Amino acid sequence: MADRGASALSLPEDWPAHPDPILALNRMGSFDWDLDTGLFHMDAQGYEVFDLLPEEFDGRPESLAVRVPPPEAARLDTAVAQAIKDGSENYGAYFRIRCRDGTLRWTHTQGYIRRDETGRPRRIVGILRDATQELAAGETRSLRAAQDEAFRQQTNVVEVTSAALAHAQGVQDVIDVLKYTQGVRHLGAASLVMGLVEAGRIRLVAEGPVGSFVPGTRVTRIDEPYPMGEVVRTLVPRFIESPEEFAQGYPILWPHLTDLHITSAAYLPLIAQARPIGAMGLLYSDRRGFSAEERAVLVALGSSIAQSLQRAMLYEQEKDLAQGLQQAMLPRTIPSVRGADVAVRYRAASVGGTLGRDIGGDWYDLIPLPGGRVGAVIGDVQGHDTHAAAVMGQLRIVLRAYAAEGHTPAAVMARASVFLHELDTDRFATCLYAQADLSTGVVQVVRAGHIDPLVRATDGTCRRIPVDGGLPLGLSAEFGRLEYPVSTLELDPGETLLLCTDGLVEQPGADLDDGMRTLTALIADGPDEVRDLADRLIQMAEERGGDDDVALLLLRRRAPEAPRAGGRLQQHVAPGDPEALTQARHMIRAAVRTWGARDRADEVELVADELITNALMHTEGSAIVTLRVLDGADRRLRVEVEDSSSALPRRREAGEDGVSGRGLLLVDRLADGWGVEARGGGKAVWCEFVVPPRAGR
């Protein structure tokens, strides 16, 4: 019964109320319940109704729990609370008590609620009586009605529990449904225990309530004399209908359950596909025996739980396999990059628990390249299944190999597209490849149907970098459009390049540009350190959820170290490729500024441009441009342009030819020194510029 809580308030002067002697003659007891203090007074006949001695009761309503089973107490609490809430003056209820000898007896109570002038309830006075004889005439009918009502309630619980189990993904989700949806309580069970079969043993995975664990039963053999082992062996439910039957059938287990006051129990095998996967026990403290209908309901509940458990176990196996495959396809480690801070992250998709959807085709990679450069890759193979992950793994390896061979970014992307087209798959992939020279900050970017990169500046602002792109990998080869334009950007010291897949940007019903703006704002407000920023972005993706996986790569350029003698930058310029010539000019300009020769940047760029143009015009092959800083008495910046022709250049006067030869005159005027060196079957034309010494030297 409800406890209003004791307080320091004084008792009413007329408390306890004096019952009419007629009540005693009719074997009725009376009570007076002070709602302010929480004290509950009964007369002598009231003690007889509850089968209590006066010294066994301390005046607290909760102490009546020794006689009133929890389900009956809950019904009484509900009736009293409802009457108080509705403003009623009285209430009445039938309930059962458990007598001293363990038998159940029907009792009736009638209560009158006394309120003060404000309408606040202060006391409840009423009567108690033994209703056994009153209900005897209609006992069979009432019992049947009660059984029918209990059956309907249990059936409803099975339906509600089954509906909740339908949404459970993992084994723990199934356990939580049983423990926290009040299904066990509504079935009238006082305790629950559940175990799973593993290698000839039963491992306990759930028990309740807290403190009901039986020592030594965490892991038991199936052949041990416990009811869970018995139902797993026989595949037949075990219904224990009395404490005596429990003690006789399981003498090892029973002594550990006496404090729980167990009167009956139902142990159910959990069977899926004709194979026991576990067992469940429901223990009761207020009933004896099970009707045929109740047994059928419990068996149906066990079947539903078994199916949910099997589905959950398969889901976890699929998830472990998917995650293992995904991790195997992604790089195991990311190499440390001199001159940069790097952070990578991956988040698997989660699509409402659908099996196999925790794996996808998103990937990242970081590729060390010759000359101190580094290649950063982000990509997304179509689909969210093991096939997408397998294609992703192959494509990642191929892209890495092409980049390591020294191919230009455009060639790397085109070759990868051809490879994917020739695979036995109908999948395509989007990809972005960025080749960065961290000593100069020059980044060459090619894009195959992927979203644009972002750059975060040193002041925290973030901007989207528009990059001309080609078709996704696989499709460009199929349609014969393998052209991938190269875009060049400069990454200043302290700036961060961010590459990600669309799972970090796209949201259902939202425009991609809106998603990019939201991401840009989030990055601008994020922490400075790349690992912390990566964690923040993935946390945002986790909170938002979504049906797409996410790959993320952050590369922050550190302040360049002082160049060493012999250190160099190199760029390959193919004939008939104006884009490559533009990239070479960009690289030269950025390198000169980075190396502290900003005042001579225009001269160096102009001279290098002349040497490259001469090499491409007067030879049949490509040109290789090399820049290096030479330390010595004078700090010099050296530019070399190598070609495959052994013919030496000739310097002509302007009047001798209108155009040809004038480039070398320009080189001679602007450079502090120049010359020609033989290189195998070709040559290298070089020039040097005296530049200021580096600050601090």
Side-chain angles (χ1 to χ4, degrees), residues 20 31 45 76 119 136 251 256 261-262 276 292 370 407 413 415 428 430 582 611 623 669:
D20 193 307
F31 67 88
Q45 190 63 38
L76 278 175
H256 298 286
H261 306 291
I262 301 302
H407 296 288
M413 201 68 84
R415 288 173 178 247
F428 63 84
T430 65
T582 301
L611 296 181
R669 293 281 181 89

Side-chain angles (χ1 to χ4, degrees), residues 6 48 54 142 147 182 238 250 269 336 352 447 550 558 603 618:
E48 288 191 20
S142 299
Q147 290 177 340
Q182 296 187 338
R238 178 72 165 93
Y250 307 99
S336 59
R447 186 172 66 88
V550 174
R558 293 199 295 260
E603 298 175 2
H618 300 295

